[in-house]
């Protein structure tokens, strides 16, 4: 009896030990699983101690990429207009630009220059030093960013619209449906081309700046060192006036010379007849 009781206690002890090992193994497995596949605990926050992380929003695309259309106007005076126009053409071509409309004469000239927008300031500085005097310099800058964005958005919408109409044209069954869809497609393609032209025009005005230039002629300044004051200045002025008077007198004599060829003989004949008449007539008191 005692042997059986002891055997029962041994079996119970072995069963208890096995149960304890199984529980320990399960606990270790759970811990390993939680470390390998479970959620990773959040790292502690550093900084100002506020809950959550603060994100700094990056600048919006295009916030600093403004689309600017620039133009300028210059008015100069020069002693020789054609020379200044030739120099202005050279400056524009040297900057990668070209000459547009031009009207040049001896007394004045107007021309339009197109130069890359990023080189406009340097070109204006060079053009301003041409000629004898800078009369006027104007610079105009227009922000066309909203127009560019609007045209691009309308272009995307219009392209999608054209594609939808083309898809409808492929599914049209009758002649009337085909004619109706083709008419609508033509109208939408015309609108798309108009928007593309607007886009290209805006892109050109942003890429290239225009300079409207006017050059007027002025009298050349007197040579340096020439003195127009004092005795010699007065003598030179008097001699110049005498030459002008003499030239005018000779011009008048030349103009009346043909008439003198007739008037002088007629005058002399009249004087001779009058003198003969006085000689032939008896004096008062003679018989």
């Amino acid at each position: 009896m005692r042997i059986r009781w002891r055997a029962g206690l041994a079996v119970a002890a072995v069963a208890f030990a096995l149960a304890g090992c199984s529980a320990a193994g399960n606990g270790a497995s759970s811990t390993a699983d939680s470390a390998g596949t479970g959620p990773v605990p959040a790292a502690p926050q550093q900084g100002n101690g506020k809950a959550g992380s603060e994100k700094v929003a990056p600048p919006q695309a295009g916030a600093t990429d403004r689309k600017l259309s620039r133009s300028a106007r210059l008015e100069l005076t020069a002693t020789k207009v054609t020379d200044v126009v030739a120099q202005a053409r050279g400056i524009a071509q040297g900057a990668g630009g070209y000459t547009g409309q031009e009207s040049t004469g001896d007394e004045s000239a107007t021309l339009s220059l197109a130069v890359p927008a990023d080189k406009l300031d340097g070109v204006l500085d060079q053009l301003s030093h041409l000629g004898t005097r800078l009369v006027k310099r104007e610079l105009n800058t227009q922000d066309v960013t909203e127009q560019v964005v609007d045209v691009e958005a309308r272009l995307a919408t219009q392209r999608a619209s054209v594609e939808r109409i083309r898809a409808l044209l492929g599914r049209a069954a009758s002649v009337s449906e085909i004619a109706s869809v083709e008419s609508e497609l033509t109208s939408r393609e015309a609108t798309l081309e108009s928007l593309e032209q607007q886009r290209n025009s805006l892109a050109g005005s942003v890429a290239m700046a225009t300079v409207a230039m006017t050059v007027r002629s002025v009298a050349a300044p007197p040579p340096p060192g020439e003195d127009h004051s004092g005795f010699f200045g007065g003598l030179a002025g008097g001699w110049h006036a005498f030459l002008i008077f003499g030239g005018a007198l000779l011009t008048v004599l030349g103009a009346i010379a043909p008439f003198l060829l007739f008037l002088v003989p007629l005058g002399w004949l009249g004087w001779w007849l009058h003198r003969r008449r006085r000689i032939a007539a008896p004096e008062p008191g003679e018989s």
Side-chain angles (χ1 to χ4, degrees):
M1 185 72 174
R2 181 175 295 179
I3 294 172
R4 292 179 179 177
W5 181 76
R6 288 181 177 178
L9 288 178
V11 171
V14 171
F16 180 77
L18 291 175
C21 291
S22 176
N26 292 336
S29 176
S30 299
T31 304
D33 292 342
S34 64
T37 61
V40 179
Q45 298 291 334
Q46 297 179 358
N48 54 12
K50 293 183 179 179
S53 60
E54 294 184 358
K55 296 182 178 180
V56 179
Q60 297 181 356
T64 59
D65 186 16
R66 310 302 298 176
K67 305 298 182 182
L68 304 178
S69 175
R70 308 182 70 194
S71 61
R73 178 178 295 275
L74 288 177
E75 185 174 345
L76 307 171
T77 60
T79 56
K80 198 168 184 180
V81 174
T82 55
D83 289 350
V84 173
V85 172
Q87 293 174 8
R89 286 199 218 100
I91 291 173
Q93 293 174 1
Y98 57 89
T99 305
Q101 295 182 350
E102 178 182 337
S103 176
T104 304
D106 293 335
E107 299 296 328
S108 64
T110 58
L111 66 158
S112 176
L113 305 174
V115 297
D118 57 345
K119 298 183 179 179
L120 177 61
D121 296 329
V123 169
L124 285 180
D125 291 339
Q126 296 181 59
L127 294 176
S128 299
H129 291 88
L130 298 179
T132 58
R133 187 170 69 94
L134 174 63
V135 179
K136 182 183 296 185
R137 172 173 171 170
E138 296 179 355
L139 181 62
N140 181 34
T141 302
Q142 182 180 3
D143 190 348
V144 295
T145 306
E146 294 183 0
Q147 299 179 36
V148 172
V149 173
D150 178 66
V151 170
E152 290 292 345
R154 292 169 61 189
L155 268 172
T157 303
Q158 194 66 22
R159 288 194 187 101
S161 176
V162 169
E163 292 300 324
R164 287 195 300 269
I165 295 299
R166 287 175 179 170
L168 289 177
L169 181 61
R171 294 195 299 268
S174 63
V175 175
S176 60
E177 289 180 355
I178 293 175
S180 176
V181 174
E182 283 184 344
S183 176
E184 184 65 23
L185 179 61
T186 301
S187 175
R188 299 196 182 190
E189 286 179 341
T191 304
L192 179 61
E193 292 178 359
S194 176
L195 290 173
E196 288 176 345
Q197 292 178 359
Q198 294 181 32
R199 191 259 321 265
N200 295 337
S201 177
L202 287 171
S205 66
V206 171
M208 301 294 288
T210 58
V211 181
M213 190 171 177
T214 302
V215 185
R216 303 186 186 281
S217 177
V218 293
E226 184 175 343
D227 190 7
H228 293 278
S229 60
F231 173 76
F232 293 103
L235 182 60
W239 178 252
H240 182 66
F242 174 75
L243 292 178
I244 294 176
F245 173 76
L249 181 60
L250 291 176
T251 301
V252 173
L253 291 176
I256 65 176
F259 299 96
L260 294 177
L261 295 176
F262 297 96
L263 295 177
V264 171
L266 289 177
W268 181 84
L269 180 60
W271 174 80
W272 183 78
L273 292 176
H274 177 69
R275 186 171 178 274
R276 288 292 301 272
R277 194 176 296 130
R278 288 184 60 183
I279 294 173
E283 295 182 2
E286 293 184 356
S287 56

